[in-house]
Amino acid sequence: MAGVGAGTGTEDTFRGALARLRAAQKTSRGVSLYSRYVNRPAGRVFAAAAHRAGRTPNQVTALSAAVSFAGIAALALLPPSWPLALGVWAALVLGFALDAADGQLARLRGESSAAGEWLDHAVDCAKITALHTAVLITFHQHFALPGEGWLLVPPVFQLAAVMIFFGGLLTDKLKPRPAAPPTAPAAPPSRVRAVALLPVDYGTMCALFLLLGDERAFRLGYALLAGVYVVFFAAFSVKWFRELSAAGAARASSAARS
């Protein structure tokens, strides 16, 4: 697979790599405002820097995992405080930006691969699972909970978050690809949809940990966001099932006519 630029002369500078990355972005359809205007641009900067340093996409994925899991480990092991809140947020946000960088670096270098995509998604799934497990540990070890029912919130949140991640990936893999690229220009991404998706953007989850210094504020904010994730999971599940059912019916009808 060819890269997005020649990678020689001035194009191999940091600014040249950044310009080439800006010209080769994935579609913004189905992407929240945070990912579109904050995380992806930050990822471009890291991807350009990694390209200049001669790093590989898998090395960037490994760095993203190391930073993210350092923050998750701190969350699980240390008592909540405002400095910890800032540290966990910074580690998760940096890990998220690096997660956006590895795929962009792969496209820049022309090194996209199934193995690299698998590694990226496996790290993402592990990160989501570990993060809510760390919150459960914090609830049990460090919070004066008003009732044991609060210990059910992290597993429910974890289930909804993992299923949204997994369901979205699986739906994208199972959807039939168009036989030929569309001739008409694609409609611009919906800003309303981008705003509506903010509650289930990982950047919003990262921001939640800025409340970690106040037990009650964090606990209530976490429970509220957990409820939002459950609602989104239910809505997404219905949407994805209907889309795949319609695609299957269309395939069957097409096969019957041929």
Side-chain angles (χ1 to χ4, degrees):
M1 172 183 171
V4 299
T8 60
T10 58
E11 288 187 337
D12 206 33
T13 66
F14 173 82
R15 293 178 65 181
L18 197 57
R20 288 154 57 201
L21 283 166
R22 288 195 189 100
Q25 287 298 294
K26 293 192 296 185
T27 177
S28 294
R29 293 179 65 84
V31 177
S32 84
L33 284 182
Y34 179 87
S35 287
R36 188 187 307 178
Y37 293 114
V38 178
N39 202 58
R40 281 187 177 180
R44 283 200 297 271
V45 173
F46 286 127
H51 177 66
R52 287 294 298 138
R55 301 297 93 188
T56 67
N58 286 349
Q59 287 173 333
V60 175
T61 301
L63 180 58
S64 170
V67 172
S68 297
F69 282 105
I72 293 170
L75 171 66
L77 298 175
L78 300 177
S81 65
W82 290 116
L84 179 65
L86 185 60
V88 171
W89 169 79
L92 296 179
V93 165
L94 178 56
F96 190 30
L98 289 167
D99 181 43
D102 56 10
Q104 298 189 62
L105 178 60
R107 290 193 296 277
L108 182 65
R109 292 167 57 100
E111 295 179 356
S112 296
S113 67
E117 185 177 1
W118 176 88
L119 179 63
D120 184 36
H121 294 328
V123 168
D124 287 342
C125 190
K127 182 171 61 178
I128 294 169
T129 306
L131 181 60
H132 295 288
T133 301
V135 173
L136 177 61
I137 293 171
T138 295
F139 272 24
H140 183 265
Q141 294 290 99
H142 302 296
F143 282 3
L145 300 176
E148 291 188 354
W150 277 95
L151 295 177
L152 295 175
V153 178
V156 170
F157 200 157
Q158 182 185 70
L159 175 63
V162 169
M163 289 306 296
I164 288 174
F165 173 75
F166 170 77
L169 282 180
L170 188 59
T171 301
D172 184 63
K173 295 298 182 185
L174 293 177
K175 274 185 179 179
R177 296 289 183 259
T183 55
S190 168
R191 186 171 292 271
V192 173
R193 178 178 173 82
V195 172
L197 288 172
L198 272 174
V200 288
D201 189 288
Y202 188 73
T204 302
M205 169 70 70
C206 297
L208 176 66
F209 288 92
L210 289 171
L211 300 176
L212 194 59
D214 184 318
E215 175 186 328
R216 186 171 184 274
F218 177 77
R219 182 163 43 84
L220 294 178
Y222 184 83
L224 176 62
L225 195 58
V228 171
Y229 264 70
V230 169
V231 171
F232 269 81
F233 166 55
F236 282 150
S237 296
V238 172
K239 175 179 179 291
W240 292 330
F241 185 82
R242 287 177 175 173
E243 288 176 351
L244 292 174
S245 296
R251 275 200 306 268
S253 175
S254 176
R257 289 196 303 267
S258 61

